[in-house]
Amino acid sequence: LAKTTQPISMDSYEGQEVNITCSHNNIATNDYITWYQQFPSQGPRFIIQGYKTKVTNEVASLFIPADRKSSTLSLPRVSLSDTAVYYCLVAQGKGYSSASKIIFGSGTRLSIRP
Amino acid sequence: DAGVIQSPRHEVTEMGQEVTLRCKPISGHDYLFWYRQTMMRGLELLIYFNNNVPIDDSGMPEDRFSAKMPNASFSTLKIQPSEPRDSAVYFCASSLRQGLLAGGRPDTQYFGPGTRLTVL
């Protein structure tokens, strides 16, 4: 199973761009990279998913270099409401019963200040 | 859509008592997951079902834990007897499909609000 490493915590200010990097050195060919966000007293919520290069949606961008050994979640112009824990997951995409390979790590606790 | 529904939201019980947590997945989702979250261990996958059948229960910590899914719209996680170390937030999640049926990628999991369990 591909292990992920993220910073334990990060601080930033409103209006700034925040980049959270995740390392996954032993990522496998069939693995996808997924990010979830968790607010206090809530369950995690899907943010973005990618396999290679760059993916962008209305919430964030995900940058994945060619070797796929790391990925960066980019949050543009953060606000106080972006304060949350962000999880990077590397999960197998192939195989009918691949769900058990989905492992949430410790996450990055992002704190946004005014 | 109401999303994933869990009950109760909070449960306080005494050691040795039986605890039953309930989950209603999103209608039409084929996969249901039970997670446990603690400060020490983070978010752990306990068990998951596909079409009401338990597929992988390797994350269930002990025989005191059991999970069932009698139909597509209901699942329970039971702890009997409960112990103080079982205190945690238990999340239920569901997803539409996984693996090959999802185009070879992990499908989005939709989490419920969780049940905060305190065992005294």
Side-chain angles (χ1 to χ4, degrees):
Chain A
L1 299 175
K3 179 181 177 181
T4 61
T5 303
Q6 305 175 232
I8 294 175
S9 64
M10 294 181 65
D11 295 325
S12 188
Y13 294 91
E14 282 191 294
Q16 299 295 305
E17 177 184 79
V18 172
N19 296 310
I20 305 175
T21 297
C22 179
S23 297
H24 27 79
N25 291 323
N26 59 340
I27 188 169
T29 301
N30 296 332
D31 284 341
Y32 283 72
I33 300 155
T34 311
W35 286 80
Y36 280 78
Q37 173 192 56
Q38 184 178 24
F39 296 114
S41 302
Q42 294 185 26
R45 183 179 70 172
F46 173 89
I47 300 177
I48 197 166
Q49 183 182 79
Y51 184 80
K52 61 181 179 180
T53 63
K54 177 184 176 181
V55 179
T56 298
N57 61 23
E58 65 278 6
V59 177
S61 295
L62 179 60
F63 298 92
I64 306 169
D67 65 6
R68 303 200 326 125
K69 293 184 182 299
S70 67
S71 59
T72 299
L73 174 71
S74 180
L75 305 173
R77 296 180 299 281
V78 294
S79 64
L80 295 176
S81 62
D82 292 315
T83 295
V85 177
Y86 292 81
Y87 295 95
C88 165
L89 284 70
V90 173
Q92 295 280 337
K94 294 293 185 181
Y96 185 79
S97 297
S98 61
S100 61
K101 304 301 188 290
I102 299 172
I103 299 175
F104 285 78
S106 300
T108 297
R109 188 173 299 275
L110 176 64
S111 298
I112 305 301
R113 303 176 180 178
Chain B
D1 195 325
V4 176
I5 299 173
Q6 292 187 246
S7 64
R9 293 295 309 277
H10 302 274
E11 177 78 32
V12 180
T13 190
E14 293 187 345
M15 182 174 63
Q17 297 298 306
E18 178 180 293
V19 175
T20 299
L21 311 181
R22 298 172 175 80
C23 175
K24 176 178 169 57
I26 293 174
S27 177
H29 281 191
D30 291 339
Y31 284 80
L32 183 140
F33 307 81
W34 281 101
Y35 288 87
R36 177 174 67 176
Q37 187 171 39
T38 62
M39 288 294 293
M40 292 296 295
R41 301 177 67 88
L43 196 61
E44 304 173 275
L45 176 63
L46 301 178
I47 184 172
Y48 77 94
F49 296 82
N50 175 218
N51 291 324
N52 313 336
V53 177
I55 302 299
D56 187 343
D57 65 354
S58 59
M60 297 286 262
E62 300 172 32
D63 291 343
R64 299 184 295 106
F65 286 70
S66 63
K68 295 181 180 179
M69 192 165 186
N71 57 63
S73 60
F74 183 67
S75 177
T76 60
L77 178 66
K78 183 177 296 185
I79 308 173
Q80 167 63 20
S82 60
E83 297 183 2
R85 59 191 169 126
D86 300 332
S87 297
V89 179
Y90 290 82
F91 289 103
C92 175
S94 70
S95 70
L96 188 58
R97 54 192 179 272
Q98 293 290 339
L100 293 174
L101 296 181
R105 61 173 180 79
D107 205 3
T108 300
Q109 293 190 36
Y110 296 85
F111 283 75
T115 295
R116 181 173 296 278
L117 173 64
T118 302
V119 183
L120 303 174

